[in-house]
Each structure stands twice: as C-alpha cells, then as structure tokens.
Amino acid sequence: MASIEPYTISVPDSKLQRLARKLETTEFPDELDQAGWDYGAPLADVKRLASYWKDTYDWRQHEAKINELSNYRTAIHVDGFESLDIHFVYQKSDVHGAIPLLFCHGWPGSFLEVTKILPLLVSSGKDAPAVHIVAPSLPNYGFSTGTKKKGFGLPQYAETFHKLMLKLGYTKYVTQGGDWGTMITRIMGLLYPNSVMASHLNTIRGGTPSFFSQPLLAIQHALTPYSQREKAGLDRTNWFLKEGSGYRMEQGTKPQTLGYALADSPVGLLAWIYEKLHDWTDDYPWTDDEILTWVSLYWFSTVGPAASLRIYYEALHDEQLGRVRSEQYIPHVKLGLAYFPRDLTVVPKTWGRTMGPVTYESENDSGGHFAAWERPEAVVRDLRQMFGKGGEAFGVVEGREGYVRPRDAKL
C-alpha cells in the first residue's frame, strides 16, 4: 500500500484570482418585495456575502488555521474503481488504549465540522474516555480526489473509510456521523459488522415500527402517545419534506445539470449552500467568515463542487444498499441516537429504534442539522456517556476503553 503522508492545503494563487474575477463580474437576479426567506436566500444577504468574499475575506488566513490540524492524505483502492487519494484529519490521543473513532461528515459540511469536538475528546482519559479521531473528506469532497466511473455509492464510500481505518491499524472502531455520515456509517456497519462496533448518529431516520418485524416495538408505538417534542419533530419533518427538500430531488436525479451552475458561479454556490446553513440550523449565529469558509471548501475542492452532488444520485438509485437500506434495521452495531429539534427529520423515538440495537439516546432542547458545529458540547457529552464507564457501549472496542490505566499514568 502507498504510504500515509502529511498533507498541506495550498490553494493555487490562480484559483484565488479566478474567484476574484468571477465575483467582480457577478450579475444578480432581482427579488420580489418582502420576499424574505420564502423564496430562498435573500438578495441583500447574498450581495453582502459576495462583497465580503471579494473584498475582505482572507482565505489564506483560514487555510493557515486549517493547516494547524494534523492533515494527511493516502491512497485507497476501492474495488472496481480507481485508486483515490483520501484527505483526512488524524488526531491521536496520548492515552494508550484510546477509542478509534471515525467522524463522517455530509453535505454541505466537511471535515472541518470535527474541529470543535476534537480537542475535548482527544484530551480526555481520566474522567471520560479519550479517542483517536479520524475525520476524512468524503471522496468527491474537500481535498480528497474522486472517481470518474458511475456507480460510486454508499457501499463504496463505506469501503473507502473501512479501508482507511484498517490502514491506520484499527481493525475495530466506532463511528460518529450526521447527514451522509449517518448513511455511510450505517452501511459500514452492515458490510463490516466485525469492525464497526458502535455508531453515534445525529441524523435519525427510521420509520413506523412493523408488527411483522418488530412486534414489541410496534405495540409500544401503538400504545404510547407522542410527546410534545415528538409532535414538534414531526411538524419539522413535514416542513422539510414540503418546503425544504427540493434540492434533494434535483441533486438525486440530475446532478450534472446543476453542476454547471455550481462549478461556474461562486455566487450560485454561495446561495445554494447559504440557504441550507440558514434553514437547517437552530438560530445558529453564523459569522460571514464561517459561511465563506464552508463555501470555499467546496469552491476550492480538489475535484470541484459539482462532484459533491453525485452521491445523491447513486444513493437514490441503488435499490439494495442505498439510502433506504441505511434507514432500516441493521443488527450487531450498537447505536447512539441524538435528537436535535431543528434537524431535517426529527422522528419519534420508537421510529429511531427501528434502525438497530439502540443503547443510548439523548433529547436536546436546541440544535439543528450540523450538531458537531452547533452543539459540540452535546455531541461530546453523548460520546462520553455512551462509551464511558457505565455506558452500554463501554469497552465495545476490546482493549480500548479510553481511560488512562494506572500503569500508564506518569509518576
């Protein structure tokens, strides 16, 4: 296998210059009076962000900050596809026996989402379990390369990350993810049940329990009224399906057509992502620099922003191991489920329990789709309680409980 090499992010000056030229010549659409957010990203917001991106935002400053992380790249061969260069952040704890954890992002997020939870988890080991964190850029995202072949779906993303963990020496590990991170790690658990020992999810799907497959859970569902939180969650889910999910159909059916706009227009990409950052969070106070860094990671990505859409097509059209299978029951892998009120689908607990053997649940009073970014303390709390002493997933990775052992403590 090819070696694992440190990786420095260095966007060519030519790409920065191209961005500046395109921002300078942007033509904006008009807007209806008092449109607000009803029709999408407001014109005034997009103009302000585009102007800031062109005149003030300093990518090099943020690039330098990202390069303070432990960035690496390595080649991973996926069966039936070409070898891919996978970028990942890899931060090992000083604790011998720390728990290996794969952090898997989604769209329109990135590996950057791990940065708020990383220092808290790596530095534990006395009162809470420590972890070794592996946070890759998905293939076709960020600073990973992508494929030119059709059919690179959830099983291939799962294979990529499983092989990455094996390459790092982790034959058994746990995972954390939301959005595509939920679906990819779920398929990982299905395909590699002897390696994926537990998964913590902050995007929860599931469905109404069936009397045929889960009779006890179905009885509980039938006899237990929904709580106020669950009723509010179903309202949020219905809003998303009715008013917020159009992007998913376009990206899942004709990603190439949309890709022309996102690859050519930085303002088009900005508006497309900014709308999601607004609608999918719980009044999170986004700064202009945060928004533009998230968008820049797509604009400056190795294979371009259009490539990030293709996973939607592949997962939608795979009838065996696509997104539908990722929402159904998968045995053996212990599950932790974190419910946030402003996520896209906020289902009742009995629905979530149809996904697998649930050993931990948390209900949060605030937070949306990007849990590790919006509510990092809640994600850290969950992982500590789930994998810590007294948690039902404590010791799930044999020999890696995450705590400082007496003989390892410094005298």
Side-chain angles (χ1 to χ4, degrees):
M1 274 190 178
S3 62
I4 297 170
E5 300 288 346
Y7 182 73
T8 299
I9 297 162
S10 181
V11 172
D13 288 337
S14 59
K15 287 193 174 184
L16 293 171
Q17 294 162 1
R18 174 176 176 266
L19 171 62
R21 289 194 303 270
K22 285 187 170 292
L23 291 171
E24 185 68 41
T25 58
T26 299
E27 292 191 19
F28 293 92
D30 65 354
E31 182 180 56
L32 297 178
D33 294 339
Q34 301 178 333
W37 280 93
D38 292 345
Y39 291 77
L43 179 60
D45 284 13
V46 176
K47 280 188 171 181
R48 186 196 77 250
L49 287 164
S51 176
Y52 186 79
W53 203 2
K54 176 171 68 73
D55 298 327
T56 306
Y57 177 78
D58 186 352
W59 164 256
R60 291 299 185 204
Q61 177 185 347
H62 292 280
E63 182 182 72
K65 187 70 174 176
I66 296 171
N67 279 325
E68 292 177 6
L69 301 169
S70 299
N71 292 280
Y72 296 88
R73 261 211 329 191
T74 193
I76 300 292
H77 178 75
V78 181
D79 293 346
F81 293 83
E82 63 269 57
S83 180
L84 303 177
D85 291 330
I86 300 300
H87 160 260
F88 59 102
V89 170
Y90 180 30
Q91 187 65 56
K92 295 192 68 174
S93 171
D94 292 332
V95 176
H96 181 78
I99 305 166
L101 182 146
L102 173 74
F103 177 92
C104 192
H105 72 83
W107 183 91
S110 71
F111 68 93
L112 201 62
E113 292 176 75
V114 81
T115 56
K116 292 185 179 182
I117 67 172
L118 188 151
L120 298 173
L121 292 172
V122 170
S123 62
S124 302
K126 292 184 178 180
D127 299 323
V131 302
H132 301 313
I133 291 185
V134 182
S137 293
L138 271 61
N140 294 315
Y141 284 70
F143 302 105
S144 292
T145 60
T147 179
K148 293 295 185 181
K149 297 181 179 181
K150 295 173 62 176
F152 196 98
L154 296 183
Q156 286 71 40
Y157 283 88
E159 180 185 344
T160 301
F161 291 157
H162 176 61
K163 287 182 174 179
L164 174 61
M165 296 301 282
L166 293 180
K167 195 168 186 178
L168 292 171
Y170 302 127
T171 57
K172 297 181 184 296
Y173 51 88
V174 302
T175 68
Q176 199 289 321
D179 195 86
W180 286 120
T182 285
M183 299 181 201
I184 291 168
T185 57
R186 294 277 292 159
I187 298 300
M188 291 178 73
L190 180 65
L191 297 179
Y192 311 108
N194 294 325
S195 291
V196 181
M197 308 311 295
S199 294
H200 179 270
L201 312 174
N202 59 268
T203 297
I204 303 163
R205 305 291 188 180
T208 306
S210 166
F211 280 97
F212 295 101
S213 57
Q214 296 166 308
L216 294 180
L217 190 59
I219 292 171
Q220 179 186 359
H221 174 263
L223 297 179
T224 306
Y226 290 149
S227 67
Q228 286 303 117
R229 183 206 69 82
E230 290 173 327
K231 291 178 182 178
L234 288 173
D235 287 342
R236 171 67 171 175
T237 302
N238 289 332
W239 167 85
F240 172 69
L241 294 174
K242 181 180 178 181
E243 299 288 348
S245 62
Y247 79 97
R248 188 172 64 180
M249 184 58 68
E250 179 67 20
Q251 295 181 178
T253 56
K254 303 296 180 184
Q256 184 67 21
T257 304
L258 178 60
Y260 295 112
L262 301 188
D264 186 63
S265 172
V267 171
L269 178 67
L270 166 62
W272 194 246
I273 291 179
Y274 174 53
E275 175 201 294
K276 311 306 182 289
L277 301 186
H278 172 272
D279 285 358
W280 296 2
T281 52
D282 192 2
D283 292 326
Y284 178 77
W286 291 100
T287 67
D288 289 354
D289 276 77
E290 281 180 302
I291 293 166
L292 292 172
T293 299
W294 279 48
V295 176
S296 293
L297 285 172
Y298 281 81
W299 185 256
F300 294 134
S301 62
T302 300
V303 292
S308 68
L309 310 181
R310 295 170 188 150
I311 187 174
Y312 284 84
Y313 183 94
E314 304 298 354
L316 177 64
H317 290 82
D318 185 342
E319 296 181 356
Q320 292 185 322
L321 295 173
R323 66 184 306 149
V324 172
R325 182 64 186 93
S326 75
E327 298 170 3
Q328 297 170 344
Y329 192 89
I330 294 175
H332 310 304
V333 180
K334 294 184 176 182
L335 289 183
L337 305 180
Y339 293 88
F340 291 91
R342 301 296 288 177
D343 200 356
L344 306 184
T345 54
V346 188
V347 300
K349 282 186 174 180
T350 50
W351 294 25
R353 292 168 188 166
T354 66
M355 297 177 73
V358 175
T359 61
Y360 179 86
E361 294 170 309
S362 69
E363 293 180 285
N364 297 278
D365 294 332
S366 63
H369 191 58
F370 308 104
W373 194 258
E374 295 178 71
R375 294 289 313 279
E377 77 289 348
V379 175
V380 170
R381 176 207 64 211
D382 280 9
L383 293 173
R384 286 175 171 174
Q385 292 183 6
M386 181 175 175
F387 297 110
K389 294 176 180 178
E392 291 192 40
F394 172 66
V396 70
V397 179
E398 185 177 356
R400 295 182 177 274
E401 297 177 351
Y403 289 88
V404 175
R405 295 178 294 187
R407 65 177 179 272
D408 297 327
K410 295 181 180 178
L411 301 177

